[in-house]
Amino acid sequence: MVFKLYCLTVMTVLAATYAVVVRYTRTASSGDLYFSTTAVCITEVFKLLLSTGLLARESGSLKKLVGILKRHVFCNPRELLTLSVSSVVYAIQNNMAFLALSNLDAAVHQVTYQLKIPCTALCMILMLRRTLSRLQWFAIAMLCGGVMLVQWKPIQATKVPVEQNPFVGFIAIAIAVLCSGFAGVYFEKVLKSSDTSLWVRNIQMYISGIVITMLAVLLNDGQKVVEKGFFFGYTPYVCFVIFLASVGGLYTSAVVKYTDNIMKSFSAAAAIVLSTVASRIFFGLHITTTFASGAILVCVSIYLYGLPKQDTTKLSVEDSEQKSKQKLVCETLIERGG
Ligand code: NCC
């Protein structure tokens, strides 16, 4: 329980910081803008290295590590192919997220991106056959509305040095929303359908992730990368983005393993509220009524979603016990009557 909470907390803090730093690196400077495709690609490489290190620690010896890698990676194209589905979809999502952040106002981006919460819930039902009570659906809708209100800001005529195209931004966000829901639930399905280590599953996914994101570099920025170099425009902030995305990605996978994708969505939403409260306290901004009502909706939705579902199950168990007792009494009466 403590470990679950730890993973959820670290993931949410990293996700909140990540969104702020990515936006800063994409919109604050006008010249020498780095290629986002290369950043996504390098992140996959880092995640692969980190997961291999963690698998080495888990397996205990180099010999065991090599054995596991042979069995699950080098001699297992079928498993690699299975995991490549989520890497393709995540690669599209991560590239679309950059495109959306570069073309939309930060608040609009955050508000529309919350549609991934019901999208994830829908994927959980369709792909994992998970059932949600009506109250839980209500809580998800409330969470979505609450986060949107928290992020809501009147459109300001703030000038960003980079030209933005809102239409491209909205298309990118719609694709990112669909990809986030599908890829997360697909990975959860594969992970939980066997007892193969999380780090093995991650390694399998990041290998194809590197190939796919490399292709994205070639297709999107190939010519420019040849002219200016792979690491063109990299600043310490860009390195920080890559660090946050890599460690954040690993914590995200741990959260999916120890809880599920809906819990991940709830904690990501809670982080947005907490980080907004913190920034308002630190930067002395006043709390608006829209923000306060959004934050209340988020808190109530988390409470409602967490209400024990067993209550209804317990009821139905008691109900069926009652019914079978009544049936027994009826049968005995009929027997006696007969
Ligand atoms: O959008 P989201 O997650 O669903 O994206 C999941 C991110 O985790 C990486 N991942 C997933 C599984 C796995 N085994 N390994 C991984 O590395 C994927 O590559 C993908 O980047 C969210 O629910 O809001 C959340 O948002 C992201 C991120 O903020 C957004 O995608 C914005 O681009 C958060 N990721 C990070 O902070 C790095 C995630 O924690 C929560």
Side-chain angles (χ1 to χ4, degrees):
M1 183 63 190
V2 176
F3 187 66
K4 267 187 200 177
L5 269 176
Y6 161 77
C7 289
L8 282 164
T9 314
V10 178
M11 186 210 91
T12 44
V13 171
L14 289 172
T17 322
Y18 175 72
V20 176
V21 187
V22 169
R23 171 136 184 106
Y24 176 77
T25 59
R26 297 307 289 172
T27 54
S29 65
S30 48
D32 291 0
L33 191 62
Y34 66 102
F35 306 119
S36 59
T37 49
T38 63
V40 174
C41 179
I42 293 292
T43 303
E44 293 302 302
V45 176
F46 268 112
K47 287 192 291 192
L48 176 67
L49 295 176
L50 286 173
S51 297
T52 313
L54 287 162
L55 180 64
R57 207 181 66 164
E58 190 181 76
S59 51
S61 75
L62 193 68
K63 202 174 151 211
K64 277 190 191 154
L65 173 71
V66 173
I68 296 172
L69 288 178
K70 248 192 209 160
R71 196 155 11 104
H72 290 285
V73 182
F74 303 124
C75 306
N76 205 331
R78 207 170 63 94
E79 282 189 16
L80 279 182
L81 207 67
T82 309
L83 267 299
S84 67
V85 174
S86 34
S87 6
V88 173
V89 184
Y90 270 134
I92 299 174
Q93 182 208 331
N94 290 334
N95 281 294
M96 287 299 138
F98 267 102
L99 197 62
L101 276 164
S102 319
N103 283 290
L104 288 178
D105 172 76
V108 177
H109 170 268
Q110 288 288 9
V111 170
T112 44
Y113 205 28
Q114 300 321 314
L115 289 174
K116 71 179 171 181
I117 303 172
C119 183
T120 303
L122 210 64
C123 288
M124 299 267 294
I125 286 171
L126 295 176
M127 294 162 66
L128 294 180
R129 305 200 183 282
R130 201 63 67 81
T131 51
L132 291 180
S133 65
R134 255 189 236 153
L135 187 66
Q136 285 178 318
W137 270 116
F138 179 67
I140 288 174
M142 189 185 262
L143 176 79
C144 208
V147 185
M148 285 180 177
L149 280 182
V150 164
Q151 310 278 314
W152 196 264
K153 266 189 219 134
I155 302 275
Q156 288 160 352
T158 40
K159 267 204 138 336
V160 284
V162 180
E163 208 177 298
Q164 295 189 320
N165 183 340
F167 180 71
V168 173
F170 279 120
I171 298 286
I173 208 100
I175 299 175
V177 160
L178 293 174
C179 290
S180 164
F182 175 81
V185 177
Y186 181 89
F187 181 76
E188 185 177 341
K189 190 177 167 135
V190 177
L191 185 67
K192 292 182 179 170
S193 61
S194 74
D195 52 11
T196 307
S197 154
L198 168 67
W199 310 123
V200 170
R201 290 296 182 219
N202 275 350
I203 291 171
Q204 291 172 331
M205 191 166 90
Y206 302 146
I207 287 180
S208 39
I210 294 174
V211 177
I212 294 151
T213 50
M214 261 306 198
L215 273 176
V217 175
L218 282 177
L219 295 176
N220 242 353
D221 302 310
Q223 190 60 38
K224 286 181 257 168
V225 166
V226 171
E227 278 166 25
K228 300 181 173 177
F230 195 88
F231 297 104
F232 172 79
Y234 273 48
T235 60
Y237 284 112
V238 180
C239 298
F240 191 43
V241 163
I242 292 170
F243 166 79
L244 288 171
S246 311
V247 182
L250 292 195
Y251 271 99
T252 309
S253 66
V255 163
V256 171
K257 178 180 163 109
Y258 296 110
T259 67
D260 64 27
N261 270 287
I262 298 192
M263 281 300 288
K264 180 191 77 130
S265 303
F266 268 87
S267 65
I272 294 173
V273 176
L274 291 180
S275 64
T276 319
V277 171
S279 66
R280 280 174 198 228
I281 292 172
F282 287 127
F283 301 115
L285 299 171
H286 71 280
I287 307 266
T288 61
T289 346
T290 331
F291 174 82
S293 31
I296 292 171
L297 281 185
V298 170
C299 295
V300 175
S301 73
I302 294 174
Y303 170 74
L304 289 182
Y305 188 86
L307 278 182
K309 220 177 154 190
Q310 306 95 280
D311 272 357
T312 47
T313 347
K314 229 165 95 191
L315 252 180
S316 61
V317 169
E318 277 167 11
D319 228 31
S320 62
E321 273 173 7
Q322 187 90 22
K323 275 184 189 153
S324 47
K325 268 187 201 158
Q326 280 171 355
K327 207 176 147 200
L328 201 72
V329 171
C330 282
E331 278 169 4
T332 330
L333 282 177
I334 290 167
E335 262 173 33
R336 280 186 191 164

